[in-house]
Amino acid sequence: MQFLLAFVVVAPLLGAVAALLPAPPGLRGRNPGQAVLRHGVTVTGAVLLATLALAAGFDHDHPSRMQATTDISWIPALDVRIHLGTDGISLPLLVLTALLTFLCALYSYFKLPAGPSPKAFVALVLVLESGTLATFAVLDLLLFFLAFEMVLIPMYFLIARWGGDRKQPAAWKFILYTLLGSVVMLLGLLLIGLKSGTFDMVALATDNGRGLTASVQVVAVLAIGIGLAVKTPMWPLHSWLPDAHTAAPTVGSVLLAGVMLKMGTYGFVRILLPIAPDGMRTFAPYLAAFAVVGIIYGSLACLALARPGAKGDLKRLIAYSSVGHMGFVLLGIATMTPTGVNGALFANIAHGLITGLLFFLVGAIKDRYGTADLDTLAGATGAALYGRTPRLGGLLAFAAIASLGLPGLAGFWGEMLTLFGAFDPAEGLNRPAFLTFMSIGAFGTLLTAAYMLIVVRRVCMGEKRDEPHPVADIQTYEFAAWTPLAALTVLAGLWPAVLLGLTDPAVQKLLAGGKS
């Protein structure tokens, strides 16, 4: 188990180095570009298998205990250690990251975005995977920061070199926002480590803030929270996200929405809730207020983009929907209750599955029609995907209703649990304020349903028209890349205990100060 977790973190990095080296003569094949893409599929597939083996060997009877741990001294002067481990909170995120990266590598093998060398593309995707997996596996504050930052450069180049229109401004906006937020976050992490005498996240969580004064906790939560909120992204620090998604290639959007946004909310749960509970209690009402504003703002922005004549980009609309969905995650965290935090973690996974599928589908539509503009796609009577490409249209409708939170699909449980958490927040929080936040969040679910149904009506419905060049329906490689996401969306919706059985004991222990 120790070897598996270390392999999961390190293997993509080694694979990235190998991708840049000349291929051995026997592995070059007829097309060197396809050979390196095949290398990417192989490495990400091996990492996914190792992650699934890790999940199979995980002690599901004790998900609150750190398992597969490695603890090696790295910088003795600062007591910084190479400390790895996984519990019921991080294990689902490790599996989600490995799955989405493998599906992106598989999709890219058949549909590589236009841009420079395939070698660089594969290497960047693998470095991005290594950094994301490390973020969810490390248990040292400084290592967490290094892993948190490791993903920025690969995503910058994926947007800047393989993106679409206005890719350079979008890439610069992404890197500037996230780097500035990270600088502030580093100050907060150093403050906690120096004041408490350790950077070990397990020891700090067990101490539960007892070694930190209230003022230190408040300053630390403010500094670290800003950095995490930028990555989440929380309104009003979200403005880099729509530009980045609109310009990014399909696999870039899938990885950005599916796994990178989860790094911010994971930091709130893993670091701030257990290590600085008094500081979190001070800022929880403000965090919840920003969260529900983000829910309403994201929904209204999507409604504005979806209306006829708005020239709304479908990728941009889904990006704004992510602002709303991540608002529910932040609301659940702000309640500081097991119900709310479990709902936030469930919504994290559901968003990764559903929004990842949506970006895959929109990318396929853009490839077929040459545009993601809603007005162009809809035309006079609708794009009529049901008539032209029934499987593509049906899957888009499925992903849309999953995103709006239809009961029986994954999107439902996270939103419901976060609203239940807001109904009865943690002791010491203002219940009337959280009841107001709950009501606003519930109204946001209605707005989400409105814009998603408008998108389905405009893009999927309409009269089928004879065309000189018929549009292809779902191809075999697309079916292979998308089916796991659709199947897991149904599985998580019908059997939520698969996730909640992992997260709940770990959350209970985290909120109780390391006591099971």
Side-chain angles (χ1 to χ4, degrees), residues 381-401:
T381 58
L385 288 187
Y386 289 156
R388 294 177 180 177
T389 53
R391 288 184 294 173
L392 182 60
L395 196 53
L396 178 64
F398 166 82
I401 62 173

Side-chain angles (χ1 to χ4, degrees), residues 40-267:
V41 175
T42 304
V43 173
T44 56
V47 172
L48 175 60
L49 289 175
T51 311
L52 293 176
L54 185 69
F58 188 81
D59 184 357
H60 291 263
D61 293 328
H62 301 92
S64 62
R65 192 178 72 233
M66 280 295 169
Q67 302 179 35
T69 54
T70 299
D71 193 0
I72 303 169
S73 179
W74 185 36
I75 307 176
L78 294 176
D79 194 28
V80 177
R81 310 181 69 81
I82 299 175
H83 192 182
L84 306 177
T86 184
D87 63 356
I89 292 172
S90 56
L91 183 64
L93 291 166
L94 289 170
V95 175
L96 176 69
T97 301
L99 174 65
L100 281 176
T101 312
F102 170 70
L103 296 180
C104 285
L106 181 64
Y107 185 84
S108 300
Y109 180 79
F110 296 95
K111 193 71 178 177
L112 182 68
S117 160
K119 279 190 171 188
F121 179 84
V122 170
L124 289 169
V125 169
L126 290 174
V127 172
L128 180 64
E129 180 183 30
S130 180
T132 311
L133 289 168
T135 301
F136 299 137
V138 298
L139 297 172
D140 183 276
L141 289 179
L142 290 186
L143 274 185
F144 175 86
F145 176 78
L146 293 177
F148 198 83
E149 296 305 287
M150 184 175 166
V151 303
L152 301 185
I153 301 302
M155 183 54 71
Y156 167 81
F157 280 110
L158 285 175
I159 297 171
R161 305 301 297 275
W162 284 269
D165 297 335
R166 295 186 56 78
K167 56 187 179 182
Q168 290 291 348
W172 275 113
K173 197 171 185 180
F174 162 77
I175 200 76
L176 288 175
Y177 262 79
T178 48
L179 278 178
L180 288 173
S182 298
V183 169
V184 181
M185 184 176 78
L186 177 60
L187 297 177
L189 295 174
L190 290 173
L191 177 65
I192 287 178
L194 295 175
K195 289 292 184 180
S196 62
T198 181
F199 290 98
D200 186 86
M201 291 158 66
V202 176
L204 287 166
T206 304
D207 188 59
N208 202 218
R210 286 182 285 270
L212 300 172
T213 64
S215 58
V216 167
Q217 289 191 38
V218 167
V219 174
V221 169
L222 181 61
I224 298 171
I226 288 173
L228 298 174
V230 170
K231 186 67 72 74
T232 297
M234 181 185 77
W235 181 91
L237 303 174
H238 69 283
S239 61
W240 62 269
L241 184 72
D243 292 340
H245 271 309
T246 305
T250 297
V251 294
S253 292
V254 172
L255 293 174
L256 180 58
V259 294
M260 279 188 64
L261 302 190
K262 313 300 174 283
M263 295 163 67
T265 51
Y266 175 78

Side-chain angles (χ1 to χ4, degrees), residues 230-507:
V230 170
K231 186 67 72 74
T232 297
M234 181 185 77
W235 181 91
L237 303 174
H238 69 283
S239 61
W240 62 269
L241 184 72
D243 292 340
H245 271 309
T246 305
T250 297
V251 294
S253 292
V254 172
L255 293 174
L256 180 58
V259 294
M260 279 188 64
L261 302 190
K262 313 300 174 283
M263 295 163 67
T265 51
Y266 175 78
F268 276 104
V269 175
R270 178 64 75 197
I271 297 174
L272 295 186
L273 276 178
I275 294 176
D278 293 338
M280 269 299 291
R281 197 168 286 107
T282 300
F283 284 106
Y286 304 101
L287 180 63
F290 283 124
V292 295
V293 170
I295 293 170
I296 300 301
Y297 173 84
S299 299
L300 292 177
C302 289
L303 280 171
L305 290 169
R307 75 177 192 275
K311 290 290 182 184
D313 186 282
L314 198 48
K315 286 186 74 175
R316 195 174 189 85
L317 183 146
I318 297 171
Y320 273 111
S321 77
S322 292
V323 176
H325 288 305
M326 299 313 287
F328 278 103
V329 177
L330 290 173
L331 177 61
I333 293 169
T335 67
M336 299 184 69
T337 61
T339 302
V341 176
N342 275 304
L345 294 171
F346 198 102
N348 250 349
I349 301 298
H351 179 264
L353 296 172
I354 297 167
T355 309
L357 178 58
L358 277 169
F359 275 117
F360 268 134
L361 292 167
V362 175
I365 292 171
K366 189 172 183 179
D367 288 337
R368 285 160 170 77
Y369 291 94
T371 182
D373 180 78
L374 265 172
D375 289 333
T376 306
L377 289 172
T381 58
L385 288 187
Y386 289 156
R388 294 177 180 177
T389 53
R391 288 184 294 173
L392 182 60
L395 196 53
L396 178 64
F398 166 82
I401 62 173
S403 182
L404 64 83
L406 185 75
L409 297 176
F412 170 73
W413 295 105
E415 293 181 2
M416 186 192 72
L417 289 171
T418 58
L419 294 177
F420 278 168
F423 180 77
D424 189 18
E427 186 179 352
L429 298 180
N430 188 325
R431 188 164 185 243
F434 273 85
L435 288 175
T436 305
F437 299 146
M438 182 198 73
S439 303
I440 297 171
F443 179 65
T445 62
L446 301 178
L447 296 178
T448 303
Y451 69 73
M452 279 299 180
L453 293 176
I454 290 172
V455 168
V456 170
R457 177 178 61 79
R458 297 193 68 202
V459 177
C460 296
M461 300 180 182
E463 299 175 8
K464 182 180 178 182
R465 300 183 292 275
D466 293 329
E467 296 177 287
H469 304 289
V471 178
D473 208 339
I474 295 178
Q475 304 295 298
T476 304
Y477 71 92
E478 294 173 328
F479 184 80
W482 303 343
T483 300
L485 300 179
L488 288 171
T489 298
V490 175
L491 176 65
L494 295 178
W495 194 14
V498 173
L499 275 177
L500 294 176
L502 282 172
T503 61
D504 186 51
V507 168

